[in-house]
Amino acid sequence: MEGTLTVSQRLAALQRRRAAVLVALGLVLLLVVVVAVALGAVSVPLLTTARIILKRLPLLGRLVGVTWTPTEETIIISVRLPRVVLALLVGMGLAVAGAIFQGLFRNPMADPSIIGSSQGAALGATIAFFFGIKAGWGGLSAVPLFAFAGSLGAVIVVYLIARSGGRVSISSLLLVGIALSSFLASIVSLLMVVSEDRMHNIFFWLMGGLGTGNWDMVVAVLPFVLVGSAVSILYGKDLNLLLLGEERAAQLGLEVERFKWLMIGVASLVVGAAVSVSGIIGFVGLMTPHIVRLLTGPDHRYLVPGSLLGGGLFLVLADTLARTVIAPNELPVGIVTAFFGAPFFIYLLKRRRRAVL
């Protein structure tokens, strides 16, 4: 009885620690968002920035008096806030997708681009640039629309090729994804070589950036990130079962094929939506779940929401650094994430090698 009580107490303490990590991540994220919005070429005090944002919130807005200029409000609400919110959503989406793929593939090296979605998006965007397509829809230009279509098209092709006998093995999905990504990358390179005058636009899109972020993009990405995150959190317990292996998960009552189809579909939609408005931003989906896993453990009921908060935090910080470190010029945010992500990836390889030995 005493031993059972001790185990229960340890489990309760572990759950409290995990909950505390999520609360701390949420609070830090809120603070970083306000600081990121306040930073820029025109100085707006931090407290004023917070009050301008609070003024736009339902219920809380009536409690805040206006003590700022119309110019300051325009800068915060129309210029900086949409970009920061877009970085937040893109980071959240990529990190959640990374946590899903790492759970599905049972491979800590898996990231959101592993089944061709990123390269599909790159090809879609490149086609839009190459042919100079201008027509858009719903406030979005042709580039994000073509990128989203390319991302989904690549994932569907990978899934159909990997499917055999009504089943899709994880290893087949992985290998087909790698092969198709290489094929699509070769087409993108070919179009860049022959495009000449449009190569500059394609090149900068591929490096990732949020400089064109606006409220239309936020509205376009928001439902995918919200629904994808909610579904993955809801099925966190089933992702835990899959870590035991497909056969064991099926013995415990999980409909493995249906579940894989659901998770791949959800993660692919989130990645497609994120990449379509930001370009290819690497390492967010790879690094964030690993860091959160060190804080909360491998339980997906905590890992997924932790990755959601951590991914948003990481990309907001990276984008703030990208637009301020060499101001008034900007770095593509993909360079910043790669600068921190590549050393972390090497660290992971070293750590896995030591674990194997």
Side-chain angles (χ1 to χ4, degrees):
M1 181 67 184
E2 184 178 349
T4 304
L5 186 61
T6 301
V7 171
S8 300
Q9 288 176 334
R10 288 179 178 175
L11 285 175
L14 180 60
Q15 289 177 346
R16 285 197 297 272
R17 185 170 68 85
R18 288 167 168 169
V21 168
L22 296 183
V23 171
L25 277 174
L27 293 175
V28 172
L29 179 59
L30 283 176
L31 177 63
V32 167
V33 165
V34 176
V35 171
V37 175
L39 292 176
V42 177
S43 176
V44 180
L46 188 63
L47 184 59
T48 301
T49 302
R51 291 170 62 86
I52 292 173
I53 296 174
L54 284 174
K55 185 66 178 175
R56 294 301 182 106
L57 297 180
L59 302 179
L60 293 176
R62 66 181 64 178
L63 303 176
V64 180
V66 177
T67 58
W68 51 86
T69 66
T71 302
E72 288 177 327
E73 182 166 350
T74 300
I75 290 172
I76 296 299
I77 299 299
S78 302
V79 180
R80 294 183 190 166
L81 189 58
R83 175 170 179 162
V84 172
V85 173
L86 189 65
L88 179 72
L89 293 175
V90 170
M92 286 178 161
L94 293 177
V96 167
I100 292 174
F101 281 128
Q102 288 175 13
L104 281 177
F105 289 98
R106 299 191 294 280
N107 187 334
M109 300 299 175
D111 76 354
S113 64
I114 200 166
I115 58 172
S117 55
S118 293
Q119 285 302 332
L123 179 59
T126 302
I127 289 173
F129 281 122
F130 183 80
F131 291 103
I133 300 172
K134 302 294 183 184
W137 181 74
L140 298 177
S141 67
V143 172
L145 295 175
F146 271 67
F148 184 68
S151 176
L152 291 189
V155 172
I156 291 172
V157 170
V158 168
Y159 190 86
L160 291 177
I161 294 175
R163 194 167 186 262
S164 177
R167 299 182 70 243
V168 176
S169 73
I170 293 297
S171 58
S172 296
L173 204 62
L174 179 62
L175 293 173
V176 174
I178 293 172
L180 186 70
S181 293
S182 299
F183 177 68
L184 296 179
S186 68
I187 298 176
V188 170
S189 299
L190 175 64
L191 292 177
M192 288 178 67
V193 169
V194 300
S195 64
E196 295 182 350
D197 58 325
R198 297 187 177 94
M199 180 183 289
H200 182 268
N201 292 334
I202 298 172
F203 181 72
F204 269 86
W205 190 91
L206 292 178
M207 294 178 75
L210 297 157
T212 59
N214 55 49
W215 286 117
D216 288 328
M217 290 182 175
V218 170
V219 170
V221 174
L222 182 62
F224 292 98
V225 175
L226 282 181
V227 174
S229 301
V231 170
S232 55
I233 291 172
L234 186 65
Y235 285 93
K237 190 176 179 181
D238 291 336
L239 279 169
N240 290 341
L241 289 180
L242 206 58
L243 292 179
L244 302 173
E246 293 186 17
E247 185 176 347
R248 181 59 178 155
Q251 290 172 350
L252 293 172
L254 180 65
E255 294 183 35
V256 175
E257 289 305 314
R258 176 177 168 274
F259 180 68
K260 285 193 297 187
W261 180 88
L262 174 65
M263 287 293 104
I264 290 171
V266 166
S268 300
L269 284 171
V270 173
V271 173
V275 174
S276 68
V277 296
S278 66
I280 297 178
I281 300 176
F283 293 103
V284 179
L286 175 66
M287 284 177 56
T288 309
H290 275 290
I291 296 173
V292 175
R293 195 176 284 113
L294 294 175
L295 299 173
T296 66
D299 189 336
H300 284 85
R301 292 173 298 177
Y302 297 92
L303 177 61
V304 173
S307 298
L308 182 76
L309 298 170
L313 176 63
F314 176 51
L315 197 54
V316 169
L317 286 171
D319 183 55
T320 304
L321 194 61
R323 64 183 169 86
T324 57
V325 70
I326 58 169
N329 297 317
E330 287 191 19
L331 286 172
V333 70
I335 291 179
V336 179
T337 58
F339 182 82
F340 293 102
F344 186 77
F345 188 75
I346 294 172
Y347 159 74
L348 285 180
L349 289 175
K350 288 283 188 182
R351 186 180 178 185
R352 278 174 61 84
R353 187 176 299 172
R354 284 198 297 269
V356 170
L357 294 176

